Amino acid sequence: AQSVAQPEDQVNVAEGNPLTVKCTYSVSGNPYLFWYVQYPNRGLQFLLKYITGDNLVKGSYGFEAEFNKSQTSFHLKKPSALVSDSALYFCAVREAGGSYIPTFGRGTSLIVHP
Amino acid sequence: EAQVTQNPRYLITVTGKKLTVTCSQNMNHEYMSWYRQDPGLGLRQIYYSMNVEVTDKGDVPEGYKVSRKEKRNFPLILESPSPNQTSLYFCASSPIPPRTGSNSPLHFGNGTRLTVT
């Protein structure tokens, strides 16, 4: 079975400060990991993914995520937050070679204060 | 433009009155899925389809039906809506192996906010 945990319902950060949104996962084999962002009144948009290779993955809007196999984590990061980054963020996992159906975390609301 | 289109965006109805939420994608994707999003519960999968005429239950299928008669369309049907189906609904699609591998992200529609009174 596969699962994803986003331990924080909400993350608050000041504009210009670095941000981290946490995600941990559990799969039997190797993971495919994804981050999505949801702006108000919109569907989820794909941000970035980890499939294999370099543990640091770069994505849209200046976001990046670091895959840590030993800690089974895939935290989303950005060096300098913008007010416009305020949104709901979802982590998702699929098991490579396993079920095609992705499992989503419950989401983390990121609030960037001016 | 590649997209997933849901209609309507907003719907208010009464208990027991059958309704259909449409979903269409123009990317020739095999996989399509319906989710509902509720505060504190995140995204929960209702039904999914791996291809035409192939559908399967997700985590919360009770009270819903789907059909996949054409590759591009995947309507969600509520035969007798109840207030506990008040929610925000999303349709999503993606290609599946072997054409592109299992690492393709999902493409989401903009959502349908349903209120059942």
Side-chain angles (χ1 to χ4, degrees), chain A residues 32-72:
Chain A
Y32 293 152
L33 292 155
F34 304 82
W35 275 103
Y36 294 84
V37 60
Q38 184 183 23
Y39 297 105
N41 299 315
R42 300 295 301 274
L44 280 70
Q45 299 174 33
F46 169 70
L47 266 182
L48 52 79
K49 66 181 179 183
Y50 170 82
I51 304 301
T52 187
D54 194 346
N55 289 342
L56 186 63
V57 178
K58 294 187 184 297
S60 307
Y61 312 121
F63 283 93
E64 57 189 27
E66 186 168 11
F67 172 65
N68 187 316
K69 188 171 184 177
S70 63
Q71 297 185 5
T72 62

Short mmCIF file of all heavy atoms in Angstrom, two decimals, chain A residues 32-72:
data_model
loop_
_atom_site.label_atom_id
_atom_site.label_comp_id
_atom_site.label_asym_id
_atom_site.label_seq_id
_atom_site.Cartn_x
_atom_site.Cartn_y
_atom_site.Cartn_z
N TYR A 32 7.38 7.35 -7.30
CA TYR A 32 7.28 8.52 -8.16
C TYR A 32 6.55 9.58 -7.31
O TYR A 32 5.46 9.31 -6.82
CB TYR A 32 6.47 8.24 -9.43
CG TYR A 32 7.12 7.29 -10.40
CD1 TYR A 32 6.34 6.51 -11.24
CD2 TYR A 32 8.50 7.17 -10.50
CE1 TYR A 32 6.90 5.64 -12.16
CE2 TYR A 32 9.08 6.31 -11.41
CZ TYR A 32 8.28 5.54 -12.24
OH TYR A 32 8.85 4.68 -13.13
N LEU A 33 7.14 10.74 -7.16
CA LEU A 33 6.61 11.76 -6.25
C LEU A 33 6.27 13.03 -7.01
O LEU A 33 6.99 13.43 -7.92
CB LEU A 33 7.64 12.06 -5.16
CG LEU A 33 7.88 10.90 -4.19
CD1 LEU A 33 9.25 10.99 -3.57
CD2 LEU A 33 6.80 10.88 -3.11
N PHE A 34 5.18 13.67 -6.62
CA PHE A 34 4.67 14.84 -7.33
C PHE A 34 4.26 15.91 -6.31
O PHE A 34 3.79 15.60 -5.22
CB PHE A 34 3.43 14.47 -8.16
CG PHE A 34 3.63 13.35 -9.14
CD1 PHE A 34 3.57 12.02 -8.73
CD2 PHE A 34 3.86 13.62 -10.47
CE1 PHE A 34 3.75 10.98 -9.63
CE2 PHE A 34 4.04 12.59 -11.38
CZ PHE A 34 3.99 11.27 -10.96
N TRP A 35 4.39 17.16 -6.73
CA TRP A 35 3.80 18.28 -6.03
C TRP A 35 2.86 19.01 -6.98
O TRP A 35 3.19 19.25 -8.14
CB TRP A 35 4.84 19.26 -5.52
CG TRP A 35 5.44 18.90 -4.19
CD1 TRP A 35 6.66 18.35 -3.95
CD2 TRP A 35 4.83 19.07 -2.90
NE1 TRP A 35 6.85 18.17 -2.61
CE2 TRP A 35 5.75 18.60 -1.94
CE3 TRP A 35 3.61 19.58 -2.47
CZ2 TRP A 35 5.47 18.63 -0.56
CZ3 TRP A 35 3.34 19.61 -1.12
CH2 TRP A 35 4.26 19.14 -0.18
N TYR A 36 1.68 19.35 -6.42
CA TYR A 36 0.70 20.14 -7.15
C TYR A 36 0.35 21.37 -6.31
O TYR A 36 0.41 21.34 -5.07
CB TYR A 36 -0.59 19.34 -7.36
CG TYR A 36 -0.46 18.14 -8.27
CD1 TYR A 36 0.00 16.91 -7.78
CD2 TYR A 36 -0.81 18.22 -9.61
CE1 TYR A 36 0.11 15.81 -8.61
CE2 TYR A 36 -0.72 17.11 -10.44
CZ TYR A 36 -0.26 15.92 -9.94
OH TYR A 36 -0.16 14.82 -10.76
N VAL A 37 -0.08 22.43 -7.00
CA VAL A 37 -0.53 23.64 -6.32
C VAL A 37 -1.96 23.95 -6.75
O VAL A 37 -2.33 23.73 -7.91
CB VAL A 37 0.40 24.84 -6.63
CG1 VAL A 37 0.46 25.14 -8.12
CG2 VAL A 37 -0.04 26.09 -5.87
N GLN A 38 -2.76 24.42 -5.80
CA GLN A 38 -4.13 24.80 -6.10
C GLN A 38 -4.37 26.24 -5.66
O GLN A 38 -4.33 26.54 -4.46
CB GLN A 38 -5.11 23.88 -5.38
CG GLN A 38 -6.56 24.16 -5.73
CD GLN A 38 -7.53 23.29 -4.95
OE1 GLN A 38 -7.22 22.77 -3.89
NE2 GLN A 38 -8.72 23.12 -5.48
N TYR A 39 -4.61 27.11 -6.64
CA TYR A 39 -4.97 28.48 -6.34
C TYR A 39 -6.48 28.57 -6.16
O TYR A 39 -7.22 27.71 -6.65
CB TYR A 39 -4.49 29.41 -7.45
CG TYR A 39 -2.99 29.42 -7.60
CD1 TYR A 39 -2.37 28.76 -8.65
CD2 TYR A 39 -2.19 30.08 -6.67
CE1 TYR A 39 -0.99 28.74 -8.77
CE2 TYR A 39 -0.81 30.07 -6.79
CZ TYR A 39 -0.23 29.39 -7.84
OH TYR A 39 1.14 29.37 -7.96
N PRO A 40 -6.98 29.59 -5.48
CA PRO A 40 -8.43 29.70 -5.24
C PRO A 40 -9.24 29.59 -6.52
O PRO A 40 -8.90 30.18 -7.55
CB PRO A 40 -8.55 31.09 -4.60
CG PRO A 40 -7.24 31.32 -3.93
CD PRO A 40 -6.22 30.66 -4.83
N ASN A 41 -10.31 28.82 -6.44
CA ASN A 41 -11.24 28.64 -7.56
C ASN A 41 -10.60 28.02 -8.80
O ASN A 41 -11.08 28.21 -9.92
CB ASN A 41 -11.88 29.98 -7.94
CG ASN A 41 -12.68 30.57 -6.79
OD1 ASN A 41 -13.44 29.87 -6.13
ND2 ASN A 41 -12.47 31.84 -6.52
N ARG A 42 -9.53 27.29 -8.60
CA ARG A 42 -8.87 26.61 -9.72
C ARG A 42 -8.62 25.15 -9.38
O ARG A 42 -8.63 24.75 -8.21
CB ARG A 42 -7.53 27.29 -10.05
CG ARG A 42 -7.63 28.74 -10.45
CD ARG A 42 -8.39 28.90 -11.77
NE ARG A 42 -7.78 28.19 -12.87
CZ ARG A 42 -6.81 28.69 -13.62
NH1 ARG A 42 -6.34 29.91 -13.37
NH2 ARG A 42 -6.32 28.00 -14.62
N GLY A 43 -8.36 24.36 -10.42
CA GLY A 43 -7.96 22.99 -10.20
C GLY A 43 -6.50 22.89 -9.81
O GLY A 43 -5.78 23.89 -9.79
N LEU A 44 -6.06 21.70 -9.50
CA LEU A 44 -4.66 21.50 -9.15
C LEU A 44 -3.79 21.62 -10.40
O LEU A 44 -4.16 21.16 -11.48
CB LEU A 44 -4.45 20.11 -8.53
CG LEU A 44 -4.83 19.93 -7.07
CD1 LEU A 44 -6.33 19.98 -6.86
CD2 LEU A 44 -4.26 18.62 -6.53
N GLN A 45 -2.63 22.24 -10.19
CA GLN A 45 -1.66 22.37 -11.29
C GLN A 45 -0.38 21.66 -10.89
O GLN A 45 0.09 21.79 -9.76
CB GLN A 45 -1.34 23.84 -11.55
CG GLN A 45 -2.52 24.69 -11.96
CD GLN A 45 -2.11 26.15 -12.05
OE1 GLN A 45 -0.98 26.48 -12.40
NE2 GLN A 45 -3.03 27.04 -11.73
N PHE A 46 0.19 20.95 -11.82
CA PHE A 46 1.44 20.23 -11.59
C PHE A 46 2.59 21.21 -11.39
O PHE A 46 2.75 22.17 -12.16
CB PHE A 46 1.70 19.33 -12.80
CG PHE A 46 3.07 18.73 -12.84
CD1 PHE A 46 3.45 17.77 -11.92
CD2 PHE A 46 3.97 19.12 -13.81
CE1 PHE A 46 4.72 17.20 -11.98
CE2 PHE A 46 5.23 18.57 -13.87
CZ PHE A 46 5.61 17.60 -12.95
N LEU A 47 3.40 20.98 -10.34
CA LEU A 47 4.56 21.82 -10.06
C LEU A 47 5.88 21.15 -10.45
O LEU A 47 6.71 21.73 -11.13
CB LEU A 47 4.64 22.13 -8.56
CG LEU A 47 4.02 23.43 -8.05
CD1 LEU A 47 4.28 23.53 -6.55
CD2 LEU A 47 4.55 24.64 -8.78
N LEU A 48 6.07 19.93 -9.95
CA LEU A 48 7.31 19.21 -10.21
C LEU A 48 7.14 17.76 -9.82
O LEU A 48 6.17 17.39 -9.15
CB LEU A 48 8.48 19.85 -9.44
CG LEU A 48 8.32 20.08 -7.94
CD1 LEU A 48 8.52 18.82 -7.13
CD2 LEU A 48 9.30 21.15 -7.46
N LYS A 49 8.11 16.94 -10.26
CA LYS A 49 8.06 15.52 -9.94
C LYS A 49 9.46 14.97 -9.76
O LYS A 49 10.44 15.49 -10.33
CB LYS A 49 7.33 14.74 -11.04
CG LYS A 49 8.05 14.73 -12.38
CD LYS A 49 7.25 13.95 -13.43
CE LYS A 49 7.98 13.97 -14.77
NZ LYS A 49 7.20 13.28 -15.83
N TYR A 50 9.55 13.91 -8.98
CA TYR A 50 10.78 13.13 -8.87
C TYR A 50 10.48 11.74 -9.41
O TYR A 50 9.54 11.07 -8.97
CB TYR A 50 11.24 13.02 -7.41
CG TYR A 50 12.37 12.03 -7.27
CD1 TYR A 50 13.68 12.39 -7.55
CD2 TYR A 50 12.11 10.71 -6.91
CE1 TYR A 50 14.71 11.47 -7.47
CE2 TYR A 50 13.14 9.78 -6.82
CZ TYR A 50 14.42 10.17 -7.11
OH TYR A 50 15.44 9.25 -7.03
N ILE A 51 11.33 11.33 -10.35
CA ILE A 51 11.19 9.98 -10.91
C ILE A 51 12.44 9.16 -10.56
O ILE A 51 12.37 8.10 -9.97
CB ILE A 51 10.98 10.03 -12.43
CG1 ILE A 51 9.75 10.89 -12.76
CG2 ILE A 51 10.84 8.62 -13.00
CD1 ILE A 51 8.47 10.40 -12.13
N THR A 52 13.58 9.70 -10.93
CA THR A 52 14.84 9.05 -10.63
C THR A 52 15.94 10.08 -10.86
O THR A 52 15.71 11.16 -11.38
CB THR A 52 15.05 7.81 -11.52
OG1 THR A 52 16.22 7.11 -11.10
CG2 THR A 52 15.24 8.21 -12.97
N GLY A 53 17.17 9.75 -10.42
CA GLY A 53 18.29 10.64 -10.70
C GLY A 53 18.56 11.62 -9.58
O GLY A 53 18.48 11.28 -8.40
N ASP A 54 18.85 12.86 -9.94
CA ASP A 54 19.23 13.90 -8.99
C ASP A 54 18.15 14.07 -7.92
O ASP A 54 16.97 14.20 -8.24
CB ASP A 54 19.44 15.21 -9.74
CG ASP A 54 20.17 16.25 -8.90
OD1 ASP A 54 20.27 16.06 -7.68
OD2 ASP A 54 20.62 17.25 -9.47
N ASN A 55 18.59 14.11 -6.67
CA ASN A 55 17.63 14.21 -5.57
C ASN A 55 16.97 15.58 -5.47
O ASN A 55 15.93 15.72 -4.83
CB ASN A 55 18.30 13.87 -4.24
CG ASN A 55 18.63 12.40 -4.12
OD1 ASN A 55 18.07 11.57 -4.86
ND2 ASN A 55 19.53 12.06 -3.23
N LEU A 56 17.58 16.59 -6.04
CA LEU A 56 17.02 17.94 -6.02
C LEU A 56 16.32 18.18 -7.36
O LEU A 56 16.96 18.19 -8.41
CB LEU A 56 18.10 18.98 -5.79
CG LEU A 56 17.60 20.41 -5.61
CD1 LEU A 56 16.72 20.53 -4.37
CD2 LEU A 56 18.77 21.39 -5.54
N VAL A 57 15.03 18.39 -7.28
CA VAL A 57 14.22 18.56 -8.49
C VAL A 57 13.75 20.01 -8.55
O VAL A 57 13.25 20.55 -7.57
CB VAL A 57 13.00 17.63 -8.45
CG1 VAL A 57 12.14 17.84 -9.69
CG2 VAL A 57 13.43 16.18 -8.34
N LYS A 58 13.89 20.61 -9.71
CA LYS A 58 13.43 21.99 -9.89
C LYS A 58 12.15 21.99 -10.71
O LYS A 58 11.99 21.20 -11.64
CB LYS A 58 14.51 22.82 -10.59
CG LYS A 58 15.76 23.00 -9.73
CD LYS A 58 16.74 23.96 -10.36
CE LYS A 58 18.02 24.05 -9.53
NZ LYS A 58 17.75 24.59 -8.18
N GLY A 59 11.24 22.91 -10.33
CA GLY A 59 9.96 22.94 -11.02
C GLY A 59 9.55 24.36 -11.39
O GLY A 59 10.37 25.26 -11.50
N SER A 60 8.25 24.54 -11.52
CA SER A 60 7.69 25.82 -11.95
C SER A 60 7.75 26.86 -10.83
O SER A 60 7.80 26.51 -9.65
CB SER A 60 6.24 25.63 -12.39
OG SER A 60 6.10 24.61 -13.34
N TYR A 61 7.71 28.12 -11.21
CA TYR A 61 7.58 29.27 -10.30
C TYR A 61 8.71 29.33 -9.27
O TYR A 61 8.53 29.90 -8.18
CB TYR A 61 6.22 29.25 -9.58
CG TYR A 61 5.05 29.02 -10.50
CD1 TYR A 61 4.20 27.94 -10.32
CD2 TYR A 61 4.79 29.88 -11.57
CE1 TYR A 61 3.13 27.72 -11.16
CE2 TYR A 61 3.72 29.66 -12.42
CZ TYR A 61 2.89 28.59 -12.21
OH TYR A 61 1.83 28.36 -13.05
N GLY A 62 9.87 28.77 -9.56
CA GLY A 62 11.00 28.85 -8.65
C GLY A 62 10.99 27.82 -7.53
O GLY A 62 11.85 27.86 -6.64
N PHE A 63 10.03 26.91 -7.56
CA PHE A 63 9.98 25.87 -6.53
C PHE A 63 10.95 24.74 -6.84
O PHE A 63 11.27 24.46 -8.00
CB PHE A 63 8.56 25.30 -6.43
CG PHE A 63 7.61 26.19 -5.68
CD1 PHE A 63 6.83 27.10 -6.36
CD2 PHE A 63 7.50 26.12 -4.31
CE1 PHE A 63 5.96 27.94 -5.69
CE2 PHE A 63 6.63 26.94 -3.61
CZ PHE A 63 5.85 27.85 -4.31
N GLU A 64 11.39 24.08 -5.78
CA GLU A 64 12.21 22.89 -5.90
C GLU A 64 11.83 21.95 -4.77
O GLU A 64 11.17 22.33 -3.80
CB GLU A 64 13.69 23.24 -5.84
CG GLU A 64 14.11 23.97 -4.59
CD GLU A 64 15.54 24.49 -4.68
OE1 GLU A 64 16.04 24.75 -5.80
OE2 GLU A 64 16.16 24.65 -3.61
N ALA A 65 12.22 20.70 -4.93
CA ALA A 65 11.92 19.71 -3.89
C ALA A 65 13.10 18.76 -3.78
O ALA A 65 13.76 18.44 -4.77
CB ALA A 65 10.65 18.94 -4.22
N GLU A 66 13.32 18.31 -2.57
CA GLU A 66 14.45 17.42 -2.31
C GLU A 66 13.95 16.04 -1.91
O GLU A 66 13.23 15.89 -0.92
CB GLU A 66 15.34 17.98 -1.22
CG GLU A 66 16.61 17.17 -1.01
CD GLU A 66 17.62 17.87 -0.13
OE1 GLU A 66 17.27 18.89 0.49
OE2 GLU A 66 18.77 17.40 -0.07
N PHE A 67 14.35 15.05 -2.67
CA PHE A 67 14.01 13.67 -2.38
C PHE A 67 15.04 13.11 -1.41
O PHE A 67 16.25 13.19 -1.66
CB PHE A 67 14.01 12.85 -3.68
CG PHE A 67 13.86 11.37 -3.47
CD1 PHE A 67 12.70 10.85 -2.93
CD2 PHE A 67 14.89 10.50 -3.82
CE1 PHE A 67 12.56 9.48 -2.75
CE2 PHE A 67 14.75 9.14 -3.63
CZ PHE A 67 13.58 8.63 -3.10
N ASN A 68 14.56 12.55 -0.30
CA ASN A 68 15.45 11.94 0.69
C ASN A 68 14.95 10.52 0.95
O ASN A 68 13.95 10.32 1.64
CB ASN A 68 15.45 12.77 1.97
CG ASN A 68 16.50 12.27 2.97
OD1 ASN A 68 16.64 11.06 3.19
ND2 ASN A 68 17.23 13.18 3.57
N LYS A 69 15.66 9.57 0.38
CA LYS A 69 15.18 8.18 0.44
C LYS A 69 15.23 7.64 1.88
O LYS A 69 14.31 6.93 2.32
CB LYS A 69 16.01 7.29 -0.49
CG LYS A 69 15.45 5.88 -0.62
CD LYS A 69 16.16 5.09 -1.70
CE LYS A 69 15.52 3.72 -1.88
NZ LYS A 69 16.14 2.94 -2.96
N SER A 70 16.27 7.96 2.61
CA SER A 70 16.42 7.41 3.96
C SER A 70 15.35 7.96 4.90
O SER A 70 14.90 7.26 5.82
CB SER A 70 17.81 7.73 4.51
OG SER A 70 18.00 9.13 4.63
N GLN A 71 14.91 9.18 4.68
CA GLN A 71 13.86 9.77 5.50
C GLN A 71 12.49 9.67 4.85
O GLN A 71 11.51 10.17 5.41
CB GLN A 71 14.20 11.24 5.81
CG GLN A 71 15.48 11.42 6.62
CD GLN A 71 15.73 12.86 7.01
OE1 GLN A 71 14.92 13.73 6.76
NE2 GLN A 71 16.88 13.11 7.62
N THR A 72 12.43 9.05 3.70
CA THR A 72 11.19 8.92 2.91
C THR A 72 10.45 10.25 2.86
O THR A 72 9.24 10.34 3.15
CB THR A 72 10.26 7.81 3.44
OG1 THR A 72 9.86 8.11 4.77
CG2 THR A 72 10.94 6.46 3.39
#
